[in-house]
């Protein structure tokens, strides 16, 4: 496994791999890797000959007052985990390498970025789309893997790839949970044991909505009520949103007659958590 920090070196390596007919798989991450990230790495290995994992805590996707400075980092631990998974290259650039002095170009995916997390994190998806576009031009992958936990992000990337004609296949990775049902996230480390116990209601409430759908309910308002009520019974938790959206477009829907996503975000203690469940597929 080789560690690369310079854009020019990564591009040169990717060009060489492509000339040799190798398919490149990219897994973009912000590091502090856990089993959910590693599941994406394994998925990348299924679809490619050589796997590149990028580790970059991207400053442009953090807003004022968010946790950029304290976002957990563990380069040594990440490298060890990736080596065990048989990753070929780690791309770990400095912020100054990705955004040199005078940098002024950004990518914005307009409609899919609106609503849900877009309402609560202005500029977030602009930063995500920009850094991913840059990674695509640096690593030059044939496939890239993104997890369904960040569902809106996944659709933002898919739309960007479609609209800007990137010759890259975007492959989703299923949401991975801990044994207690908690959606895996690097930010879970911020939670105290008591806060984590409170946060478990998020997944349980989503299951209430999914179970109601499976029993035949199709009205979005009824499904949302089933999700919202258990959460309201738990103190120390601030719900930002619960919504049902079309799973392909993220458009609002009143009746679930095709695949949809029930998505939510909540603040537990000082930690913002997101979760979702797909229904109808």
């Amino acid at each position: 496994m080789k560690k690369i920090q310079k854009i020019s070196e990564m591009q040169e390596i990717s060009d060489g791999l492509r000339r040799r007919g190798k398919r490149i798989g990219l897994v973009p991450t912000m590091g502090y890797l856990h089993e959910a990230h590693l599941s994406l790495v394994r998925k990348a290995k299924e679809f490619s000959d050589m796997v590149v994992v990028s580790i970059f805590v991207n400053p442009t996707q953090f807003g004022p007052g968010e946790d950029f400075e304290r976002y957990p980092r563990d380069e040594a631990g990440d490298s060890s985990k990736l080596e065990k998974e048989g990753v070929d290259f780690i791309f770990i650039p400095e912020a100054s390498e990705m955004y040199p002095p005078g940098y002024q170009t950004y990518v914005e995916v307009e409609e899919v970025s609106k609503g849900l997390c877009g309402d609560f994190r202005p500029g977030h998806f602009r930063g995500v789309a920009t850094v991913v576009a840059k990674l695509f031009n640096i690593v030059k992958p044939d496939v890239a893997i993104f997890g369904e936990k960040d569902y809106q992000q996944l659709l933002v990337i898919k739309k960007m790839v479609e609209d800007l004609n990137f010759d890259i296949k975007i492959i989703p990775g299923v949401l991975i949970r801990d044994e207690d049902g908690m959606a895996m996230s690097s930010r879970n480390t911020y939670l105290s044991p008591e806060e984590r116990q409170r946060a478990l209601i998020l997944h349980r409430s989503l299951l209430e909505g999914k179970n109601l759908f499976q029993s035949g309910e199709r009205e979005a308002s009824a499904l949302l009520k089933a999700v919202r009520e258990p959460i309201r019974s738990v103190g120390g938790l601030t719900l930002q949103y619960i919504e049902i959206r079309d799973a392909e477009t993220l458009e609002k829907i009143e009746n679930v007659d095709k695949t949809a996503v029930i998505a939510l975000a909540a603040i537990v203690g000082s930690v913002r958590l997101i979760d979702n469940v797909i229904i109808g597929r």
Side-chain angles (χ1 to χ4, degrees):
M1 187 177 72
K2 185 173 182 180
K3 173 183 171 181
I4 302 164
Q5 292 184 290
K6 294 298 181 182
I7 290 172
S8 58
E9 183 183 2
M10 187 72 251
Q11 288 175 319
E12 184 177 347
I13 288 171
S14 294
D15 287 340
L17 292 173
R18 281 179 164 270
R19 283 194 297 269
R20 289 161 49 200
K22 300 295 186 182
R23 285 178 58 81
I24 301 171
L26 171 65
V27 181
T29 81
M30 293 206 300
Y32 210 72
L33 305 180
H34 47 67
E35 179 59 27
H37 294 112
L38 301 181
S39 73
L40 303 181
V41 170
R42 294 172 199 132
K43 177 77 74 171
K45 292 179 73 174
E46 294 177 22
F47 291 90
S48 56
D49 302 308
M50 309 295 284
V51 174
V52 180
V53 175
S54 64
I55 296 177
F56 180 61
V57 183
N58 176 35
T60 66
Q61 70 188 68
F62 288 79
E66 292 190 339
D67 58 342
F68 173 70
E69 293 297 338
R70 72 184 185 110
Y71 191 87
R73 295 161 170 87
D74 181 14
E75 184 177 321
D78 291 343
S79 296
S80 176
K81 291 173 184 174
L82 294 176
E83 191 154 25
K84 289 176 183 176
E85 293 294 333
V87 167
D88 300 287
F89 301 96
I90 309 177
F91 178 53
I92 313 182
E94 297 289 338
S96 59
E97 178 78 359
M98 294 292 279
Y99 302 107
Y103 187 91
Q104 55 185 293
T105 303
Y106 295 87
V107 179
E108 191 151 9
V109 183
E110 293 187 345
E111 294 303 318
V112 185
S113 295
K114 293 179 180 177
L116 305 176
C117 288
D119 283 348
F120 292 90
R121 303 187 70 187
H124 170 69
F125 291 116
R126 176 177 182 256
V128 168
T130 298
V131 77
V132 171
K134 288 176 67 67
L135 288 169
F136 286 170
N137 285 327
I138 294 164
V139 178
K140 307 179 185 181
D142 297 277
V143 299
I145 319 295
F146 291 84
E148 288 185 334
K149 174 181 172 287
D150 296 285
Y151 198 84
Q152 188 173 15
Q153 171 181 280
L154 171 63
L155 293 199
V156 166
I157 299 307
K158 281 186 171 182
K159 189 61 176 167
M160 179 187 75
V161 165
E162 176 187 348
D163 288 353
L164 297 186
N165 308 110
F166 281 102
D167 188 17
I168 299 170
K169 182 176 179 62
I170 303 302
I171 299 173
V174 298
L175 192 157
I176 304 296
R177 299 185 182 277
D178 280 318
E179 291 183 2
D180 59 7
M182 191 82 164
M184 288 189 178
S185 169
S186 299
R187 289 186 169 96
N188 289 352
T189 58
Y190 298 155
L191 296 168
S192 70
E194 295 78 13
E195 289 168 342
R196 186 181 177 98
Q197 283 300 309
R198 289 201 295 271
L200 294 179
I201 192 61
L202 300 178
H203 177 230
R204 292 173 188 159
S205 68
L206 287 169
L207 289 180
E208 292 289 337
K210 183 177 182 178
N211 291 339
L212 185 60
F213 172 82
Q214 291 176 334
S215 71
E217 180 62 63
R218 294 295 180 266
E219 188 175 330
S221 61
L223 295 170
L224 289 172
K225 182 180 179 182
V227 178
R228 192 177 290 112
E229 286 186 347
I231 296 175
R232 284 177 171 169
S233 68
V234 176
L237 185 153
T238 302
L239 189 63
Q240 287 191 333
Y241 67 78
I242 301 176
E243 294 196 36
I244 297 180
R245 298 287 186 106
D246 183 287
E248 294 298 322
T249 66
L250 284 190
E251 293 175 348
K252 292 183 178 181
I253 52 178
E254 294 183 1
N255 290 286
V256 184
D257 54 6
K258 51 185 157 181
T259 306
V261 58
I262 310 177
L264 59 76
I267 306 293
V268 181
S270 62
V271 186
R272 185 177 188 273
L273 301 173
I274 60 173
D275 204 344
N276 70 73
V277 66
I278 312 297
I279 56 176
R281 74 173 179 184

